[in-house]
């Protein structure tokens, strides 16, 4: 079997899909994208695919190493996202070739279903108590929200108080049985992150995410020593080599590799297994499309330390297009009591509605994250 062709589809709301075709008629789908840089990642996919045309798609480890190691410059969000989507598509082909879901080829499932959480509140969190109650009424056992708007290095305690009021209102609305992930989104710098973590402890969050940017590991250390809340990060790390110092530090309790950013199925399986050796949990990052989510679930199925999965159904980014719009077997992402069954169809387990993909690719998108500024005109972390 040989790879004979590929196509890229830039589709709303902010995704990039890849279709790889073989001479035996088996096709695989991947999702190579970095949010806000879809066209840039697409260019990297084009460069990588030049080396894969005519090759056997089943030799995934060889192709992964070729893409990663053959270039003098490696790693980073663009190249690793391109590798990720290609890797997903190759696994999709391999699963279909062997008539088995990807998790069977990775050693088999260690669970039948995966816990998922629902996003609430938007970029600038609001109406969170009502949204949390709705999610809880719909069967979700966990939600995640952005903690705060932009914060200066040292900022007003009024902004801290507003975060506390929002989280308190959620606890009042649904009690203590709902898990609450609170995403600092890298918007908070060390001085205020220490304050915010301390104030949030009373509400027993499921975790706080990116309390500071992951490159500031020394600040993560300080925060970890002053709070009992589990600390999560990793969506802006792109390989096992990026995760290595994080795991060695011992300051992080939950890692969040993204299956469309951190080297795909091949690499993220290794990253999550590395974390297990440090008794660290995994909650893969996935505010993306159906191919990325299916890839996550295939890896989650095989990883003992994966305990919850992000998913983007109804997330504030998905205006006019959502994950179910692009697949025919919509039941594959049916959430029951806050869990989703591991997909069992061959490959990634999703049947892409190619006709709809092609139609929406005509519309395309040019999504970029907003640029925020502080009152003084300086750039704020989004």
């Amino acid at each position: 079997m040989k790879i004979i062709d590929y196509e890229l589809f830039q589709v709303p709301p902010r995704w990039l899909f890849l279709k790889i075709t073989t001479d035996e008629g088996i096709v695989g789908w991947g999702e190579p994208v970095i949010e806000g840089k879809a066209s840039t990642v697409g260019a990297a996919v084009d460069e990588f695919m030049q080396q894969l045309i005519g090759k056997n798609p089943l030799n995934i480890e060889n192709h992964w190493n070729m893409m990663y190691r053959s270039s003098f410059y490696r790693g980073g969000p663009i190249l690793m996202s391109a590798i990720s989507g290609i890797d997903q598509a190759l696994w999709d082909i391999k699963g279909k070739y062997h008539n088995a879901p990807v998790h069977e080829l990775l050693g088999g499932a260690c669970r039948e279903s995966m816990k998922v959480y629902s996003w609430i509140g938007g970029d600038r969190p609001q109406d969170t108590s009502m949204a949390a109650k709705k999610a809880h009424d719909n069967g979700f056992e966990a939600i995640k929200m952005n903690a705060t708007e932009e914060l200066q290095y040292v900022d007003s305690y009024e902004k801290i108080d507003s975060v506390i009021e929002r989280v308190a209102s959620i606890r009042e609305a649904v009690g203590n049985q709902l898990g609450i992930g609170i995403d600092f989104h890298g918007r908070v710098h060390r001085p205020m992150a220490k304050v915010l973590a301390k104030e949030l402890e009373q509400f027993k969050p499921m975790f706080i995410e990116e309390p500071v940017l992951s490159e500031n590991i020394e600040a993560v250390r300080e925060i970890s020593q002053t709070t009992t809340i589990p600390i999560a990060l990793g969506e802006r790390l792109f390989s096992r080599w990026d995760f290595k110092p994080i795991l060695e530090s011992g300051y992080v309790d939950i890692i969040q590799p993204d299956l469309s950013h951190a080297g795909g199925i091949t690499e993220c399986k290794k990253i999550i297994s590395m974390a297990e050796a440090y008794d660290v949990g995994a909650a893969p990052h996935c505010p993306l499309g159906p191919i990325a989510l299916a890839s996550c679930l295939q890896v989650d199925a095989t990883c003992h330390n994966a305990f919850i999965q992000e998913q983007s159904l109804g997330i504030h980014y998905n205006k006019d297009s959502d994950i179910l719009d692009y697949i025919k077997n919509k039941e594959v992402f049916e959430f029951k009591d806050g869990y989703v069954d591991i997909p069992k169809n061959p490959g990634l387990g999703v049947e892409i509605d190619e006709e709809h993909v092609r139609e929406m690719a005509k519309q395309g998108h040019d999504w970029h994250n907003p640029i925020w500024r502080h009152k003084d005109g300086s750039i704020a972390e989004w």
Side-chain angles (χ1 to χ4, degrees):
M1 184 163 54
K2 294 180 180 179
I3 297 169
I4 59 171
D5 198 10
Y6 74 96
E7 294 178 87
L8 287 163
F9 305 92
Q10 196 158 320
V11 297
R14 56 178 190 162
W15 304 330
L16 182 67
F17 294 168
L18 166 67
K19 176 188 176 185
I20 295 180
T21 304
T22 69
D23 61 351
E24 294 191 10
I26 301 175
V27 303
W29 290 86
E31 197 168 329
V33 68
I34 198 82
E35 299 92 304
K37 300 292 182 185
S39 298
T40 310
V41 176
V45 171
D46 285 331
E47 292 176 334
F48 282 131
M49 287 304 301
Q50 293 172 20
Q51 306 299 319
L52 292 176
I53 296 295
K55 300 295 194 301
N56 183 346
L58 302 181
N59 298 330
I60 297 175
E61 279 285 348
N62 180 61
H63 299 324
W64 197 98
N65 280 290
M66 181 277 295
M67 290 186 287
Y68 184 83
R69 298 179 188 276
S70 66
S71 299
F72 185 80
Y73 299 102
R74 58 186 68 170
I78 303 304
L79 296 180
M80 294 305 289
S81 295
I83 291 173
S84 297
I86 295 170
D87 181 82
Q88 292 167 3
L90 294 179
W91 276 106
D92 197 27
I93 291 170
K94 194 178 187 79
K96 292 171 180 174
Y97 178 82
H98 290 289
N99 195 32
V102 167
H103 67 262
E104 289 289 350
L105 306 180
L106 294 174
C110 67
R111 57 173 52 85
E112 296 178 353
S113 62
M114 189 68 190
K115 190 175 184 178
V116 294
Y117 62 77
S118 177
W119 257 98
I120 65 168
D123 266 348
R124 296 181 183 274
Q126 56 185 342
D127 300 326
T128 49
S129 61
M130 292 177 59
K133 189 174 188 312
K134 181 179 178 182
H136 187 250
D137 291 344
N138 288 335
F140 286 98
E141 296 181 0
I143 55 94
K144 190 169 83 171
M145 57 181 282
N146 279 318
T148 180
E149 55 191 304
E150 62 271 35
L151 285 175
Q152 268 285 10
Y153 283 81
V154 177
D155 212 320
S156 163
Y157 274 78
E158 182 181 359
K159 291 184 179 180
I160 299 294
D161 291 341
S162 68
V163 178
I164 302 309
E165 289 170 8
R166 282 192 291 273
V167 179
S169 69
I170 293 174
R171 281 288 179 237
E172 291 170 6
V174 298
N176 289 325
Q177 66 269 38
L178 188 72
I180 305 176
I182 303 175
D183 190 356
F184 287 31
H185 217 256
R187 297 172 182 171
V188 189
H189 299 278
R190 182 169 65 173
M192 301 308 289
K194 292 190 297 181
V195 174
L196 193 50
K198 182 179 180 181
E199 293 289 336
L200 286 170
E201 211 165 51
Q202 60 185 303
F203 302 111
K204 301 177 181 178
M206 179 171 59
F207 56 75
I208 54 174
E209 179 175 335
E210 280 196 324
V212 293
L213 292 168
S214 52
E215 53 260 42
N216 296 328
I217 188 61
E218 70 288 343
V220 178
R221 175 188 61 203
E222 187 169 349
I223 295 164
S224 73
Q225 292 171 346
T226 60
T227 184
T228 59
I229 304 171
I231 294 174
L233 61 77
E235 67 188 66
R236 290 189 252 200
L237 303 175
F238 307 107
S239 72
R240 76 196 90 151
W241 294 279
D242 288 348
F243 277 92
K244 182 167 68 170
I246 298 297
L247 293 170
E248 289 176 345
S249 75
Y251 308 137
V252 173
D253 306 293
I254 301 158
I255 60 162
Q256 300 171 300
D258 190 305
L259 272 285
S260 280
H261 302 340
I265 290 168
T266 299
E267 184 72 350
C268 287
K269 168 66 173 171
K270 296 173 182 177
I271 291 168
I272 295 173
S273 294
M274 283 172 60
E276 185 182 357
Y278 289 88
D279 206 21
V280 168
H285 182 252
C286 189
L288 295 170
I291 304 168
L293 179 56
S295 298
C296 287
L297 292 173
Q298 294 295 337
V299 172
D300 290 336
T302 71
C303 294
H304 184 267
N305 54 329
F307 75 98
I308 199 165
Q309 177 59 57
E310 181 172 24
Q311 54 82 29
S312 74
L313 189 64
I315 199 172
H316 48 286
Y317 303 118
N318 295 359
K319 295 179 180 178
D320 302 321
S321 286
D322 215 325
I323 61 175
L324 298 183
D325 298 335
Y326 291 99
I327 59 175
K328 293 181 177 180
N329 57 334
K330 302 182 191 303
E331 71 282 354
V332 74
F333 295 139
E334 182 179 351
F335 304 139
K336 302 174 184 176
D337 299 323
Y339 286 75
V340 63
D341 289 341
I342 301 300
K344 295 180 174 61
N345 291 336
L348 296 179
V350 289
E351 185 180 355
I352 298 300
D353 187 342
E354 186 171 335
E355 183 178 347
H356 185 70
V357 169
R358 290 186 180 279
E359 188 62 31
M360 296 308 290
K362 296 175 184 176
Q363 177 180 327
H365 72 83
D366 189 30
W367 189 89
H368 300 282
N369 64 253
I371 297 174
W372 286 1
R373 292 182 182 271
H374 294 296
K375 190 175 181 179
D376 63 4
S378 61
I379 289 290
E381 302 284 356
W382 172 71

